[in-house]
Amino acid sequence: MKKIISVRFKHFLILFLGILGFCLQASAQVTMPPPQGQQRPQQRQAQDPDEDQEEAGPRRGILDDSTKQVYGPRTTLYFKEKHIRHNRFELTEIDTALTGFHNYEPVARHWYRHQDLGNIGSGAMPIFYEIPGQIGRTSGFHAYDLYYNSPDSMTYFDTKSPYTNLGAFFGGGNRNMLDVAFARNINPRWNVGFNFNTIRARKVLNPSRRDDNMAVQNSYSIHTSYRSENEKYILLANFSRMKHTVNEQGGIIPPEVDSTSLYFTYEDSKMWLRNSQANDLRQDYHLYHQYEVVKGWQIYHVFDKKKQEVSFVSDMAGSDNLFFDQFNTNRFHVGEDGDRTDSTRNLSHFSEWRNEFGFKGDIGPIYYNAFMKFRTGRMASPYFESNNSFNEFYIGGALRGQISERWYFEGEGEYFIPDAFRIKGLFRSPYLDLTYTKALYRPTLMHLLYRGNHFQWTNDDLSNTGVDQITGQLKADFGPISIRPSLTLNRVSNYIYYNQEVVPEQTAADAFMVIPGVTANLFLGKFAFQSEIYNTTITGDGADNFRIPEWFVNSRIFYDSPWFDENIFVQIGIEGRYRSEYFAPAWMPSTQQFYLQDNFLVQGYPVVDFFFNFRINRTRISIRYNHLNDNLLEQPGYFVTPGYTGLKGMLDLGINWSFFD
């Protein structure tokens, strides 16, 4: 064991010294870009009520001592559509922070608040219950939302020089990601840009060759923002497309089914599926524009056109047949020839059109908004007798009162005529945040009707799901110590879930969730400690329909200091996470849904990672060793989902470059 650890450390040291030498050589060759004469429009700043951000210090000017313009993170700013729409316009500087940079991939970036299948690009669902953002119909296929740059998350830029950002993640076992972003101002009022993202994640369980990938993604988006010369008219538009392909594996064959199949053998694991593939293709067109009729009063329009095509194909003539025979030995026929087929082709096509018209404005410290919205769409399948269509009409509005930048309240709501609604109230102060949400939301189209080779259902009698949620957080800051106790209370009724037979079921019983937690940050000189702890208690007759670990813990401790006369900024530390044991939902590849199971107990297991983040000029580099305690505890590894293990010990490298010319 000591010999193995020493060899790993030796390889890590060689890699680190090589990367450090390369970066030092590259930084010595950096030259300042030539000046450009573009003027920046006037900036307005306000704190985003949805983000608890630290107050930024005064911005440095863009002129150096020789009066040459210097471009960098402080001259390339960005904003979101919600800032324009809510009349809280702010321009934010490009992020160059090191804290958390080692958590590059999406699940890690959200500090492991999602359950996935142990690999980048695999199906994922939130650990904690979340109220849907859309109270009306959705497709019901949300397992890959985490990997999609949706229109509402689009970033728009205001740049004084062309801006390019390159991010690359080289994970152990050929788990790779590449992210490219570019933006530039055509003139001071018009910006254009694009994003390009790829995932190439080889199977961590039983790969047959170097390029035997579990997940392959190619996605891109283009965006533009425009302001008229008198700033009365503002336009934001974007187009997004994602093709996400997953070669499903079905999980590890249990030893009780095949005595030669063992857990925690990773590359040598025996998997259920070898010839099955899922695809999720998405395309979104989005437009937001507004016009200021009189000072302080605007009218606006939002247009969306969405498409999602979901498929699952499998060669049932091979060993993949054994996996599905666990659930139903007599599969449904979905072919065209009237005979039972030896292959699976499940196809679903969701489309939606949305138009929203409204007005908004400010009267002193009071913001107001009113709107009406119309959505129409359908779920289509070659196996449906007719399309499952919907038409929805909404009215809604919002009101905000702002006493100061840090004291304000908000109220918003929307009503889908005749049987769904959401209202939300928010109070925020320097000492206490409170939120109350009450909603009644509709079942998804997937819940209502589905036709596949392994599962079929028609549910015409599903009712809306109701939820009440109260969240509160205290803010106690004492110099270098920040403590934020919190409490979340949920009541959920008429909840729809996928049961142990992998079909949708609705319960009339209520479930009550009590989730106290605390977030703590401690900074002592060059050392920092960050942690969050949540405890979940679920009661009521519907409690068993929610599977959430009782304890959820994330912590990191690290050394943070500049080196070599502040030419290199460094963070070195360890990060740990823990979920207590629970019967985690299982994954069904053919329907791409998580479902309840009562046979596989996912054990509580602490995972410790080592990370080394550093920044040289505008280049950030992260070296992370996953699962530092691999094979050092009584249990040799851990599961994240029944049949799917977490990562074994392996080395990851992340690099991010920003260019401002």
Side-chain angles (χ1 to χ4, degrees):
M1 177 62 67
K2 291 182 178 179
K3 181 178 180 181
I4 294 175
I5 294 175
S6 64
V7 170
R8 288 178 176 176
F9 178 76
K10 178 180 178 182
H11 289 171
F12 164 77
L13 185 60
I14 293 172
L15 178 62
F16 162 66
L17 291 176
I19 294 172
L20 182 60
F22 169 79
C23 294
L24 287 172
Q25 182 180 7
S27 65
Q29 299 173 354
V30 173
T31 59
M32 301 309 297
Q36 298 183 19
Q38 181 179 308
Q39 298 296 316
R40 177 175 306 284
Q42 182 179 0
Q43 297 178 17
R44 291 172 289 175
Q45 299 180 27
Q47 185 182 355
D48 183 357
D50 298 325
E51 297 177 3
D52 190 13
Q53 298 177 334
E54 297 293 334
E55 294 185 11
R59 302 187 192 277
R60 293 183 298 200
I62 59 173
L63 299 180
D64 64 13
D65 293 338
S66 61
T67 70
K68 293 181 179 179
Q69 285 186 313
V70 179
Y71 303 105
R74 294 181 179 270
T75 65
T76 298
L77 309 176
Y78 70 89
F79 62 94
K80 303 281 190 177
E81 180 180 309
K82 62 183 179 181
H83 299 145
I84 301 289
R85 178 165 177 167
H86 297 160
N87 286 4
R88 299 184 66 88
F89 182 68
E90 66 175 358
L91 293 169
T92 305
E93 296 173 359
I94 298 298
D95 182 22
T96 59
L98 287 177
T99 302
F101 177 64
H102 56 281
N103 288 334
Y104 192 95
E105 62 273 41
V107 170
R109 194 182 310 148
H110 290 80
W111 220 358
Y112 301 97
R113 288 174 176 263
H114 286 76
Q115 174 190 343
D116 67 350
L117 309 184
N119 201 355
I120 302 172
S122 60
M125 65 171 289
I127 294 290
F128 299 98
Y129 170 76
E130 293 183 357
I131 302 174
Q134 176 61 254
I135 62 174
R137 301 290 191 212
T138 65
S139 68
F141 293 101
H142 300 298
Y144 304 113
D145 287 358
L146 193 63
Y147 311 103
Y148 183 49
N149 187 18
S150 59
D152 56 354
S153 65
M154 193 68 61
T155 299
Y156 300 91
F157 288 88
D158 179 13
T159 66
K160 286 191 67 66
S161 62
Y163 166 67
T164 305
N165 182 265
L166 302 177
F169 176 80
F170 305 101
N174 292 315
R175 301 157 30 256
N176 302 322
M177 299 175 62
L178 175 66
D179 302 307
V180 181
F182 173 81
R184 71 164 299 155
N185 274 36
I186 304 300
N187 60 47
R189 302 182 310 278
W190 180 21
N191 183 277
V192 296
F194 70 85
N195 303 289
F196 177 72
N197 312 94
T198 67
I199 296 175
R200 297 290 187 274
R202 194 181 72 162
K203 297 173 181 177
V204 294
L205 302 175
N206 193 233
S208 60
R209 59 189 183 277
R210 180 178 176 83
D211 61 346
D212 187 11
N213 293 319
M214 179 184 188
V216 175
Q217 183 196 110
N218 292 305
S219 65
Y220 63 88
S221 58
I222 56 177
H223 56 83
T224 185
S225 61
Y226 172 78
R227 273 196 314 274
S228 63
E229 190 170 359
N230 59 9
E231 296 198 4
K232 287 183 174 294
Y233 180 73
I234 299 176
L235 178 145
L236 307 175
N238 64 68
F239 168 76
S240 301
R241 186 182 191 274
M242 177 185 79
K243 176 67 179 295
H244 194 89
T245 300
V246 177
N247 295 304
E248 298 282 5
Q249 295 186 276
I252 302 171
I253 298 175
E256 55 266 27
V257 175
D258 183 347
S259 60
T260 64
S261 177
L262 302 175
Y263 294 137
F264 308 118
T265 55
Y266 302 103
E267 288 88 351
D268 297 324
S269 297
K270 289 193 172 182
M271 310 302 293
W272 281 109
L273 303 179
R274 298 294 301 181
N275 302 292
S276 299
Q277 186 180 95
N279 288 278
D280 191 333
L281 172 65
R282 306 186 188 193
Q283 283 189 182
D284 285 351
Y285 300 85
H286 178 78
L287 168 69
Y288 172 89
H289 55 149
Q290 69 176 46
Y291 181 76
E292 188 173 47
V293 180
V294 296
K295 187 174 179 58
W297 191 75
Q298 306 95 31
I299 57 174
Y300 70 90
H301 168 236
V302 184
F303 168 78
D304 279 294
K305 181 181 183 298
K306 299 176 181 288
K307 180 181 79 171
Q308 183 181 16
E309 294 181 353
V310 178
S311 66
F312 175 79
V313 296
S314 181
D315 180 6
M316 300 303 297
S319 60
D320 293 36
N321 183 52
L322 300 175
F323 173 79
F324 293 104
D325 280 350
Q326 300 175 97
F327 303 94
N328 40 36
T329 55
N330 298 313
R331 292 189 302 278
F332 298 101
H333 163 68
V334 294
E336 298 179 356
D337 54 4
D339 298 323
R340 176 174 172 172
T341 62
D342 290 327
S343 63
T344 292
R345 289 187 60 85
N346 298 341
L347 304 172
S348 299
H349 182 285
F350 172 79
S351 60
E352 173 195 341
W353 294 72
R354 177 174 78 106
N355 278 284
E356 178 181 332
F357 300 90
F359 65 86
K360 60 190 180 74
D362 296 282
I363 302 177
I366 304 298
Y367 163 84
Y368 60 90
N369 165 229
F371 67 86
M372 60 180 182
K373 177 171 60 179
F374 179 73
R375 296 176 69 233
T376 182
R378 66 174 189 175
M379 181 75 87
S381 171
Y383 315 124
F384 288 176
E385 294 181 2
S386 62
N387 294 333
N388 190 10
S389 303
F390 67 91
N391 293 291
E392 299 178 344
F393 181 74
Y394 301 76
I395 58 174
L399 188 68
R400 180 183 72 238
Q402 184 154 349
I403 303 171
S404 67
E405 275 197 21
R406 303 180 67 188
W407 289 83
Y408 55 86
F409 66 88
E410 290 185 1
E412 63 178 19
E414 62 177 342
Y415 174 49
F416 160 60
I417 301 172
D419 63 354
F421 67 87
R422 179 179 58 232
I423 57 174
K424 180 179 179 180
L426 167 69
F427 170 77
R428 181 159 291 179
S429 75
Y431 315 105
L432 174 67
D433 291 349
L434 290 174
T435 303
Y436 173 69
T437 304
K438 185 177 182 65
L440 192 66
Y441 58 90
R442 306 183 80 188
T444 70
L445 295 174
M446 178 71 170
H447 289 148
L448 296 175
L449 178 65
Y450 178 73
R451 294 289 182 271
N453 197 37
H454 308 286
F455 302 95
Q456 296 186 8
W457 57 77
T458 301
N459 296 314
D460 296 325
D461 57 348
L462 295 180
S463 57
N464 291 351
T465 298
V467 59
D468 290 275
Q469 183 181 82
I470 301 174
T471 64
Q473 183 184 72
L474 293 173
K475 303 176 181 179
D477 298 329
F478 309 98
I481 302 175
S482 173
I483 302 176
R484 304 289 173 90
S486 64
L487 178 65
T488 298
L489 304 175
N490 294 328
R491 180 195 66 83
V492 185
S493 60
N494 295 329
Y495 182 62
I496 303 173
Y497 57 96
Y498 290 88
N499 62 21
Q500 286 82 348
E501 283 71 46
V502 205
V503 298
E505 182 177 337
Q506 184 169 44
T507 176
D510 288 352
F512 302 90
M513 305 178 200
V514 180
I515 310 175
V518 62
T519 300
N521 296 285
L522 173 63
F523 300 94
L524 295 176
K526 298 179 180 180
F527 293 90
F529 171 78
Q530 297 176 319
S531 183
E532 60 177 16
I533 303 173
Y534 296 97
N535 175 261
T536 300
T537 301
I538 309 177
T539 59
D541 293 339
D544 193 50
N545 303 322
F546 296 87
R547 303 298 172 85
I548 302 173
E550 181 180 2
W551 291 99
F552 180 89
V553 181
N554 283 317
S555 293
R556 69 168 66 107
I557 183 170
F558 57 94
Y559 165 87
D560 186 354
S561 178
W563 287 359
F564 305 113
D565 296 327
E566 299 191 357
N567 288 311
I568 302 179
F569 294 85
V570 172
Q571 284 187 355
I572 305 174
I574 58 173
E575 180 174 277
R577 58 188 181 275
Y578 174 78
R579 300 174 193 167
S580 56
E581 65 178 21
Y582 71 120
F583 287 99
W587 172 251
M588 173 48 64
S590 67
T591 60
Q592 299 176 41
Q593 305 293 334
F594 286 89
Y595 66 94
L596 300 186
Q597 59 84 30
D598 301 315
N599 301 315
F600 196 111
L601 183 66
V602 173
Q603 295 289 338
Y605 183 91
V607 183
V608 179
D609 300 335
F610 167 83
F611 64 89
F612 178 27
N613 303 331
F614 60 98
R615 177 167 60 86
I616 304 174
N617 287 340
R618 295 161 184 169
T619 301
R620 290 180 290 172
I621 298 177
S622 175
I623 299 171
R624 182 184 68 189
Y625 192 85
N626 297 283
H627 199 181
L628 194 64
N629 53 318
D630 181 14
N631 210 30
L632 296 180
L633 303 178
E634 181 179 355
Q635 183 173 311
Y638 67 103
F639 283 87
V640 291
T641 291
Y644 297 88
T645 56
L647 294 177
K648 66 174 182 177
M650 59 176 59
L651 192 66
D652 295 341
L653 172 66
I655 306 176
N656 184 278
W657 298 274
S658 291
F659 305 93
F660 300 91
D661 54 8

